[in-house]
Amino acid sequence: MADTLWWQHGIVYQIYPRSFQDSNGDGIGDLEGIRSRLDYLVGLGVDAIWISPFYPSPMADFGYDISDYRGIDPLFGRLEDFDRLLADAHARGLKVILDFVPNHSSDQHPWFHQSRASRDNPKRDWYIWRDPAPDAGPPNNWLANFGGPAWTWDSSTSQYYYHAFLPEQPDLNWRNPDVREAMFDVLRFWLDRGVDGFRVDVIWHLMKDELFRDNPPNPAWHDGMPSIDRLLQVYSCDRPEIHEVVAQLRAVIDGYPDRVLIGEIYLPLERLVAYYGEGLEGAHLPFNFQLIFAAWNAGEIARIVRDYEAALPQGGWPNWVLSNHDQKRIATRVGAAQARIAAMLLLTLRGTPTLYYGSEIGLEDVPIPPGRVQDPWEKNEPGLGFGRDPARTPMPWDGSENAGFSTATPWLPLNPDCEERNVARLSADPASILNLHRRLIALRRSHPALNRGDYVHAHVEGDLYAYERRSGDERLLIGLNFGHRPQRLTLPGDAPEGRLLLSTALDREDEPVHGAADLRAAEGVIIRLA
Ligand code: NOJ
Ligand code: CA
């Protein structure tokens, strides 16, 4: 079997920096805080951290509105702190992936100040400016992701500018070669400092229709859906020209050894896999979010895995994601018992898993009282459940004040059960979901069948989904019970004997298996076939 690279056999752990660890008592997590928790991550067994944005930002969208691509927001520390974090991570064998946000900057970025200063400013064309429509309204019908129109009127220059997200996040014009060069230089700035790769924010948005045609209405839209979904995003993103840009980003990355390019892409499967590039010159890992939206049952999950495996281009490496800072937490979506099945699924499928901080302790969405709402989406479209604060709450570390996250009141409330659900408590409980993660990760690391082997579909029977992972002579059978009733997992006819390596219940290690294993409700097992 060909050797795999770190971003193929490894595990990525996503850190939302505001919420991981505060080091200076302002209630907001920071780089020094992350650095102080590196040993925890090593102990957990992950290989890389992806840190959501920490660059200078007015924080209209909590760092996804960047006013300087080459610095650190004082809230998070200084460039020296970043360098120290990177060095300490590397010293522990951890890779560091940054969040790169090329689609839009902050409206406070000097580029945008210049761009809006006058129509003949050299930076005018760095953003997307258009004359009003004949009726003086916006140039077309495009909508913004957090509510409202995607065009904002600039009275001093009498044109509209385009923003796929907030008005404070104007879209850069990626048709302008100077913009591309400037952004490639940003990548090199961080690559030269030693970072190991990038997760590229909304990569499928970078190119818009050259003719700015109206998006068609979405016939499936109904009340209660985000207003952006009134239209199908046909012309505002995923344009054919995007793939050339992705290949250019990849070429910059490829100028450095052993780096990774991950793309954030919310698209249907057939369009998603195009982001690998026809000759694999695109993103190494176009994020695969299908499990986030899956109906949680054996048949549906098995179908998703099979279709994804079949759709991957030759040589394209798979990846799986259960949750992130924009989505409901997995334990909230599927419940505490199935969160353990979800962990076993994520960590035994073929392809790179990305683990969202807090998943490993079964953290759930935290209800945010109206007075403490932070997310601009919740503020713009309140009460409909779109707000992302609930999934961004502070990591609870121990039983001390503010769960060890901060000496001050945290920027978002802690989980109400933080006295029981915290890292220290769960570490001490051998059966906890945290220790399940540790065991699963250790097993994945030590078995090539799990971290790089083939995926072989076994069967779906009622609530049971079973598959094999194979490498060389090794065959591991994974059985996941998505239901509330016991299930019998029958071993394959050509390998009827085995040994149980791990159960989600953490109490059946080393059990011999003859012919079949009886799974309890919501139990998952990994069996080594003899
Ligand atoms: C996707 C990011 O994950 C999300 O948090 C952000 O609000 C938007 N892109 C805009 O950058
Ligand atoms: Ca802080």
Side-chain angles (χ1 to χ4, degrees):
M1 166 148 322
D3 256 0
T4 47
L5 301 165
W6 65 268
W7 54 265
Q8 295 179 307
H9 58 247
I11 298 169
V12 178
Y13 183 94
Q14 182 193 353
I15 293 178
Y16 195 69
R18 295 181 79 88
S19 295
F20 201 57
Q21 176 68 58
D22 176 23
S23 74
N24 62 347
D26 62 1
I28 298 176
D30 44 53
L31 295 181
E32 208 30 40
I34 297 174
R35 196 171 72 87
S36 72
R37 295 296 185 184
L38 288 176
D39 287 332
Y40 165 75
L41 297 169
V42 172
L44 182 61
V46 299
D47 300 85
I49 53 175
W50 148 37
I51 314 174
S52 286
F54 45 63
Y55 316 102
S57 165
M59 302 289 167
D61 189 20
F62 296 101
Y64 284 96
D65 49 321
I66 297 171
S67 53
D68 173 6
Y69 284 98
R70 297 164 184 244
I72 308 290
D73 194 281
L75 211 50
F76 296 122
R78 297 159 308 156
L79 213 41
E80 296 76 46
D81 301 315
F82 176 76
D83 288 338
R84 200 170 328 129
L85 169 61
L86 185 63
D88 282 16
H90 282 170
R92 288 165 173 76
L94 285 173
K95 306 282 186 183
V96 177
I97 299 167
L98 301 198
D99 212 311
F100 179 54
V101 189
N103 180 69
H104 44 269
S105 71
S106 161
D107 65 343
Q108 300 307 312
H109 196 294
W111 296 340
F112 191 69
H113 283 153
Q114 293 172 48
S115 189
R116 81 187 314 176
S118 70
R119 288 206 191 188
D120 55 12
N121 189 285
K123 291 273 189 308
R124 183 66 170 182
D125 184 50
W126 280 43
Y127 292 84
I128 299 174
W129 293 97
R130 283 284 171 289
D131 288 332
D135 69 353
N140 67 19
N141 72 350
W142 295 0
L143 297 171
N145 271 270
F146 301 141
W151 296 93
T152 289
W153 177 247
D154 180 60
S155 53
S156 65
T157 59
S158 296
Q159 279 192 317
Y160 283 93
Y161 68 89
Y162 175 68
H163 49 88
F165 295 87
L166 299 171
E168 293 89 345
Q169 294 168 295
D171 278 44
L172 283 153
N173 176 16
W174 274 81
R175 292 188 187 267
N176 184 325
D178 295 339
V179 168
R180 292 192 191 187
E181 265 322 306
M183 293 308 272
F184 298 158
D185 276 348
V186 169
L187 291 177
R188 291 186 198 106
F189 172 84
W190 293 105
L191 289 164
D192 287 338
R193 295 195 101 80
V195 309
D196 300 289
F198 299 92
R199 169 271 190 189
V200 183
D201 192 67
V202 295
I203 199 170
W204 84 108
H205 271 260
L206 298 186
M207 296 297 278
K208 297 65 160 125
D209 181 40
E210 201 164 15
L211 303 174
F212 288 90
R213 282 168 281 191
D214 276 357
N215 277 326
N218 174 6
W221 188 86
H222 57 78
D223 265 344
M225 280 170 75
S227 60
I228 174 88
D229 292 333
R230 284 171 181 272
L231 304 177
L232 298 169
Q233 314 296 306
V234 172
Y235 293 112
S236 46
C237 45
D238 193 35
R239 301 304 302 163
E241 300 95 311
I242 181 62
H243 297 293
E244 184 212 340
V245 177
V246 178
Q248 289 180 344
L249 292 169
R250 170 67 180 276
V252 175
I253 302 287
D254 282 350
Y256 296 74
D258 220 18
R259 312 294 163 102
V260 69
L261 186 68
I262 304 174
E264 185 206 21
I265 301 157
Y266 287 93
L267 285 175
L269 180 57
E270 66 284 0
R271 283 154 70 197
L272 169 69
V273 293
Y275 283 76
Y276 282 99
E278 261 169 35
L280 296 185
E281 73 287 356
H284 291 113
L285 301 174
F287 260 148
N288 168 19
F289 295 135
Q290 294 180 91
L291 292 178
I292 293 178
F293 304 104
W296 201 254
N297 64 70
E300 189 57 11
I301 303 290
R303 183 194 62 74
I304 286 171
V305 176
R306 195 166 30 201
D307 290 354
Y308 180 62
E309 284 278 348
L312 285 171
Q314 184 77 36
W317 189 259
N319 76 91
W320 296 97
V321 182
L322 284 176
S323 45
N324 62 38
H325 64 294
D326 296 325
Q327 306 295 340
K328 281 194 171 41
R329 283 193 175 273
I330 180 68
T332 297
R333 286 204 327 266
V334 303
Q338 284 296 318
R340 299 173 81 100
I341 295 292
M344 185 171 274
L345 176 73
L346 179 73
L347 293 163
T348 58
L349 283 176
R350 187 176 83 91
T352 311
T354 299
L355 194 62
Y356 183 48
Y357 88 97
S359 306
E360 75 274 30
I361 57 169
L363 201 58
E364 293 190 36
D365 278 15
V366 175
I368 309 294
R372 293 198 66 182
V373 168
Q374 303 276 353
D375 184 13
W377 196 359
E378 179 66 29
K379 290 181 179 171
N380 288 349
E381 300 189 84
L384 297 167
F386 307 148
R388 300 164 295 174
D389 296 331
R392 297 176 173 180
T393 60
M395 185 75 170
W397 292 99
D398 54 40
S400 68
E401 198 197 356
N402 298 316
F405 166 73
S406 175
T407 53
T409 303
W411 76 290
L412 281 175
L414 283 150
N415 48 310
D417 60 348
C418 66
E419 271 177 41
E420 300 85 52
R421 190 171 300 284
N422 63 56
V423 168
R425 262 294 186 88
L426 298 189
S427 287
D429 171 4
S432 71
I433 187 162
L434 175 56
N435 283 317
L436 172 63
H437 275 86
R438 290 188 174 128
R439 298 273 298 281
L440 279 165
I441 291 171
L443 200 69
R444 182 180 176 95
R445 291 179 76 95
S446 59
H447 288 266
L450 290 178
N451 63 46
R452 70 199 68 181
D454 296 333
Y455 167 85
V456 184
H457 177 78
H459 58 277
V460 174
E461 211 184 307
D463 288 327
L464 179 74
Y465 167 33
Y467 50 94
E468 277 188 44
R469 299 295 312 281
R470 294 183 187 171
S471 171
D473 290 342
E474 186 168 63
R475 289 174 66 175
L476 301 183
L477 177 68
I478 293 98
L480 302 172
N481 183 358
F482 286 82
H484 306 296
R485 279 184 301 273
Q487 292 277 345
R488 172 154 293 186
L489 169 63
T490 308
L491 270 50
D494 63 346
E497 299 293 315
R499 191 164 286 277
L500 218 143
L501 294 180
L502 188 57
S503 154
T504 51
L506 292 172
D507 59 355
R508 302 178 69 174
E509 205 180 44
D510 248 14
E511 228 177 70
V513 186
H514 308 291
D518 287 317
L519 269 56
R520 290 163 287 194
E523 185 181 21
V525 295
I526 303 175
I527 295 167
R528 191 212 305 263
L529 300 175

